[in-house]
Amino acid sequence: MTKEQRLQKRYSAEKRFKWYGIISICMALLFVALLVTKVLSEGTSAFVKSTIEIKLNFDQTALNLPEKPTTEDLNAIDFYSFAIDQILKTYPTSNRDEEKELIKLFTTDFEFEVKDFFLANTNLLNQTVSFKITASSDLDQLHKGNYAKNISEDRRKISNYQLKIYDHFIQNNKITKVFNVYFFTNGDSRNPEIAGIGGAMLGSFFSILVCLIISFPIALLAAVYLEEFAPKNKFTDFIEININNLAAVPSIVFGLLGLGILLNVFELPRSTSLVGGITLALMTLPRIIIPCRASLKAVPPSIREAALAVGASKVQSVIHHVVPLAMPGTLSGTIIGLAQALGETAPLLLIGMVAFVVQVPANPLDPSASLPIQVYLWSESAERGFVEKTSATIMILLGFLIIMNSIAVYARQKFEKKWI
Amino acid sequence: MDTKIKIKSTNLNVFYGEKQALFDINLDINQNEVTALIGPSGCGKSTFIRCINRMNDVIDICKIQGEIEMDGKNIYAPNTDVVSLREKVGMVFQKPNPFPKSIYDNVCYGPKIHGIAETKDDLDQIVENSLKKAALWNEVKDRLQEPGTSLSGGQQQRLCIARAISVNPEVILMDEPCSALDPIATAKIEELIDELKTTFTIIIVTHSMSQAVRVSQKTGFFHLGKLIEVGTTEKIFKNPTNNMTQDYITGRFG
């Protein structure tokens, strides 16, 4: 082979290698794009909901109120019958079945929506106002174009009669889309139109908080001890190997540990974010210790020597100099560990956080779900309305993960100091 | 000048694991003098001065036999407090290693942890005096809050000297303090060393013969962990008794 041929061969090898890299990156980007488009196209519609505008006539006699109503009187109002009366006025029905079909177009919670609205605006007594009631999930899905209309009636969730009512509403501009506050404030529900991730978000928040409070101090102290104080011998090598092994243990095993120890031995309350947080802390601990040790190791020994040489004790040199310098690394390691914990599903399934919880938890001792669990629960639901909610929850979850990872990167860059 | 022995090392042997780094070192360091330690790389000079402030303690595999006495007290006696020893024996390293903090914080750290200064004014005074003694005050007095790492190499090394003298030590160990510096910065540090010896006892490890001649009164020559020859600087450089010393200082090996 001549020199030119060898040169040619080397050039083409380099070019080939460059293209392998570009193709790999394109493949990775393609998968990301696929995920994002799928989630976005399915999920964005969950952030709005359809409402039906109806006239509410808060007539004193219709509400069965005395001349000067007291708070007790107001609370005793039969809003169910009142709301049904008002709903039936929106479309002329001829029999009981038609009435039922009309009522089914509204959310099952219409009674409470009207009640909350009136109790917040009692000055509207004896006045007629227009009010937007949340539509049922079926009408919502129909309005968003997720139901096919041109299939036979028995295969549709919406009957022909309901379609007629829907067309009537549309013609009179009664149906509008508004921002779906319920999605962010409500707990889970069997009815998609009032189901929300408020409970799951708080559950996740409490779990992560418990996880942070437990895992960060333990991980930092363990890392500082192992890195700065522990004698280097067989025993510490053994500990190091086991920490690395622990970081690779499948997360469901930690779930079993939580179930076996926390629930069965210590009898902590089931399905709570406290237990979830402790279980996640067990899982996160080794994943935080490893980056903490790495960042402690990255602090140059000259800084330790400098501190020792002016007469700082070992503890002073570590607390005053080494740990603060390692902080950017330990913080970003911790945040990334927590981000992993936030997306963790399997261990939480085993400690019962998969329960159907309607109430929004007020503290870590209340039963609750978490965001990934909510995704899991809704993805199994049959109702069409949960499909978009599943994707929207994934969007929120990914949003939190992106925010946390950005904070980690920012913290690292902001607080990192150059020492040489 | 009446010379008094400040540090006396007797039959000092140092081992790193299986390997012996120093063999039976017997060396007297005079008070208020500059003692230079010379010798080829890896000969144990640095190991020796790190024994004086027990910096080798942090190395797990390091074992020390023999005695080093300071003012007549063995610093390796079991009841010695390492922290107060290091308060008395400051150290300046080969590479300038200021803390990544402000110039002020670099100097005030030692006095703070030892509780030398009672008030903020005292602390300010100590910082000013230390920086003045280190011949750095005029260059940094207007920017004490700037990071110490923003200074030039020579300034950083003087900052490290200021940090070492801020706790008012009796001895300062210097481990090749000028090896990372340019000739002008080196000249400044040497001038400084000459002034400092009136207050402190200084031991300097150096690879530069001319530096040893310029700054020191006494010189020790190390080779392969042994102290080959020790004497006044004048004698070592003009009339060495040992052939190896002769060869080393004339540049025939090393």
Side-chain angles (χ1 to χ4, degrees):
Chain A
M1 210 190 290
T2 67
K3 200 169 181 183
E4 279 75 30
Q5 278 171 324
R6 276 210 303 275
L7 194 68
Q8 198 54 49
K9 215 176 159 197
R10 202 180 77 215
Y11 280 162
S12 48
E14 273 171 20
K15 212 175 252 171
R16 230 174 18 246
F17 189 75
K18 187 177 134 196
W19 275 106
Y20 293 151
I22 290 175
I23 290 167
S24 313
I25 288 181
C26 287
M27 290 293 277
L29 286 179
L30 183 75
F31 290 134
V32 172
L34 212 65
L35 172 82
V36 170
T37 14
K38 158 98 166 102
V39 169
L40 282 185
S41 63
E42 269 186 1
T44 34
S45 57
F47 295 116
V48 290
K49 63 174 182 184
S50 308
T51 56
I52 305 166
E53 193 182 322
I54 68 168
K55 288 264 182 301
L56 290 179
N57 181 7
F58 293 112
D59 184 50
Q60 198 141 13
T61 46
L63 289 168
N64 250 332
L65 285 176
E67 195 64 33
K68 287 246 157 44
T70 61
T71 329
E72 268 178 39
D73 289 331
L74 292 176
N75 280 323
I77 299 172
D78 182 3
F79 277 103
Y80 182 75
S81 327
F82 170 74
I84 292 226
D85 284 346
Q86 308 289 324
I87 285 172
L88 292 182
K89 283 181 201 155
T90 54
Y91 190 80
T93 46
S94 52
N95 59 43
R96 198 84 182 89
D97 284 345
E98 288 183 358
E99 281 179 10
K100 266 189 187 162
E101 290 200 21
L102 173 59
I103 292 168
K104 269 193 184 160
L105 289 178
F106 293 83
T107 170
T108 47
D109 258 12
F110 60 80
E111 174 195 354
F112 303 105
E113 286 192 354
V114 173
K115 183 180 178 182
D116 291 345
F117 174 68
F118 180 66
L119 292 184
N121 305 283
T122 42
N123 57 327
L124 292 175
L125 193 59
N126 287 325
Q127 291 179 37
T128 306
V129 287
S130 60
F131 178 66
K132 287 173 176 172
I133 288 189
T134 306
S136 74
S137 177
D138 287 334
L139 188 135
D140 184 46
Q141 292 302 313
L142 179 74
H143 189 60
K144 284 172 181 167
N146 291 341
Y147 280 161
K149 286 187 226 172
N150 50 1
I151 46 176
S152 64
E153 190 180 6
D154 56 340
R155 291 179 57 200
R156 265 190 265 130
K157 279 278 218 172
I158 295 263
S159 67
N160 285 340
Y161 183 69
Q162 283 177 319
L163 270 181
K164 245 162 67 188
I165 306 175
Y166 171 72
D167 290 336
H168 169 76
F169 283 157
I170 289 285
Q171 269 163 21
N172 293 303
N173 265 334
K174 295 287 186 198
I175 299 186
T176 42
K177 282 186 191 168
V178 298
F179 180 69
N180 191 355
V181 183
Y182 287 166
F183 182 66
F184 294 97
T185 55
N186 281 12
D188 198 3
S189 168
R190 292 280 179 239
N191 301 313
E193 74 271 10
I194 52 168
I197 56 168
M201 277 201 290
L202 268 179
S204 273
F205 173 74
F206 287 137
S207 309
I208 294 301
L209 198 68
V210 171
C211 176
L212 172 70
I213 290 171
I214 295 175
S215 60
F216 180 62
I218 296 181
L220 186 61
L221 286 173
V224 166
Y225 180 76
L226 284 174
E227 209 49 58
E228 304 289 331
F229 295 96
K232 302 274 172 288
N233 55 27
K234 289 253 165 63
F235 184 64
T236 44
D237 285 350
F238 178 73
I239 291 178
E240 174 156 8
I241 291 169
N242 277 294
I243 287 174
N244 290 340
N245 280 341
L246 218 52
V249 167
S251 56
I252 197 152
V253 177
F254 289 101
L256 274 174
L257 188 72
L259 175 68
I261 306 284
L262 299 175
L263 295 185
N264 293 347
V265 177
F266 293 111
E267 299 191 341
L268 291 172
R270 217 158 270 269
S271 305
T272 56
S273 28
L274 175 73
V275 177
I278 298 174
T279 311
L280 290 176
L282 292 173
M283 189 199 77
T284 315
L285 207 52
R287 298 182 187 179
I288 300 184
I289 292 179
I290 292 170
C292 280
R293 288 191 66 178
S295 55
L296 287 170
K297 207 174 257 172
V299 175
S302 65
I303 297 293
R304 296 179 181 84
E305 286 186 336
L308 293 177
V310 290
S313 66
K314 182 88 190 167
V315 173
Q316 283 171 330
S317 85
V318 169
I319 293 178
H320 294 162
H321 298 286
V322 180
V323 171
L325 285 174
M327 233 12 164
T330 52
L331 281 186
S332 63
T334 306
I335 295 171
I336 287 170
L338 290 181
Q340 282 179 337
L342 178 66
E344 204 53 66
T345 326
L348 302 184
L349 293 178
L350 288 182
I351 55 117
M353 278 182 88
V354 72
F356 174 72
V357 184
V358 178
Q359 296 97 327
V360 174
N363 60 54
L365 286 170
D366 285 344
S368 70
S370 77
L371 283 172
I373 294 278
Q374 197 65 69
V375 171
Y376 169 74
L377 282 172
W378 282 348
S379 68
E380 288 202 314
S381 297
E383 285 89 346
R384 194 72 179 80
F386 282 124
V387 174
E388 57 174 26
K389 290 207 148 51
T390 309
S391 289
T393 312
I394 294 174
M395 280 159 67
I396 300 290
L397 183 58
L398 289 180
F400 279 126
L401 294 180
I402 290 172
I403 290 173
M404 286 174 84
N405 287 339
S406 315
I407 291 174
V409 172
Y410 177 78
R412 196 195 289 264
Q413 284 174 351
K414 171 93 203 246
F415 300 112
E416 194 154 60
K417 288 189 174 176
K418 303 266 178 286
W419 34 68
I420 300 298
Chain B
M1 199 168 78
D2 187 26
T3 52
K4 184 184 156 223
I5 292 170
K6 179 76 182 166
I7 296 166
K8 184 179 177 68
S9 115
T10 321
N11 295 330
L12 184 75
N13 287 288
V14 177
F15 303 84
Y16 290 120
E18 296 293 298
K19 191 176 166 283
Q20 187 162 5
L22 290 179
F23 298 84
D24 290 324
I25 305 294
N26 291 294
L27 180 62
D28 296 344
I29 310 282
N30 296 331
Q31 186 157 2
N32 294 98
E33 262 191 23
V34 179
T35 306
L37 304 181
I38 57 171
S41 297
C43 67
K45 315 176 293 279
S46 298
T47 303
F48 177 72
I49 70 163
R50 288 168 68 96
C51 287
I52 299 174
N53 67 346
R54 292 186 58 172
M55 216 53 180
N56 284 331
D57 287 13
V58 296
I59 301 167
D60 282 332
I61 55 166
C62 184
K63 266 200 318 227
I64 290 152
Q65 291 168 358
E67 278 187 4
I68 293 181
E69 283 178 3
M70 192 163 102
D71 297 327
K73 270 186 224 146
N74 181 12
I75 62 166
Y76 281 97
N79 58 354
T80 311
D81 177 40
V82 185
V83 166
S84 42
L85 170 73
R86 290 187 189 140
E87 197 183 339
K88 278 190 261 174
V89 185
M91 188 164 188
V92 177
F93 296 87
Q94 186 170 358
K95 221 172 167 190
N97 57 352
F99 299 129
K101 295 183 172 183
S102 71
I103 294 170
Y104 184 91
D105 287 343
N106 259 287
V107 184
C108 77
Y109 180 69
K112 250 188 194 166
I113 56 171
H114 294 301
I116 292 171
E118 298 272 303
T119 62
K120 178 89 172 68
D121 286 345
D122 288 354
L123 207 58
D124 288 348
Q125 200 57 48
I126 290 176
V127 170
E128 186 177 337
N129 286 344
S130 308
L131 286 170
K132 271 181 180 161
K133 273 190 211 156
L136 191 61
W137 176 251
N138 286 332
E139 289 158 64
V140 299
K141 64 182 174 202
D142 301 322
R143 45 184 183 134
L144 290 175
Q145 293 312 320
E146 279 180 32
T149 40
S150 68
L151 297 171
S152 74
Q155 288 173 326
Q156 284 189 18
Q157 195 60 298
R158 276 179 283 153
L159 179 62
C160 292
I161 294 175
R163 184 176 63 193
I165 60 187
S166 65
V167 290
N168 218 3
E170 295 162 20
V171 180
I172 300 178
L173 311 172
M174 296 186 170
D175 190 355
E176 298 178 46
C178 301
S179 65
L181 305 181
D182 64 66
I184 296 169
T186 304
K188 277 193 183 158
I189 303 261
E190 285 178 6
E191 223 171 278
L192 182 59
I193 292 172
D194 216 42
E195 277 168 38
L196 291 176
K197 76 163 193 280
T198 54
T199 346
F200 309 103
T201 304
I202 295 173
I203 304 169
I204 180 169
V205 167
T206 178
H207 274 292
S208 155
M209 303 302 130
S210 51
Q211 185 171 57
V213 174
R214 282 194 300 267
V215 299
S216 71
Q217 285 77 52
K218 189 173 180 180
T219 299
F221 172 61
F222 279 74
H223 184 56
L224 297 176
K226 293 187 177 104
L227 180 62
I228 304 294
E229 190 172 356
V230 63
T232 61
T233 303
E234 210 183 324
K235 181 175 170 290
I236 294 278
F237 281 93
K238 285 213 176 121
N239 190 16
T241 46
N242 191 298
N243 284 340
M244 244 192 300
T245 318
Q246 172 81 37
D247 289 350
Y248 182 70
I249 58 173
T250 51
R252 249 170 272 165
F253 87 100

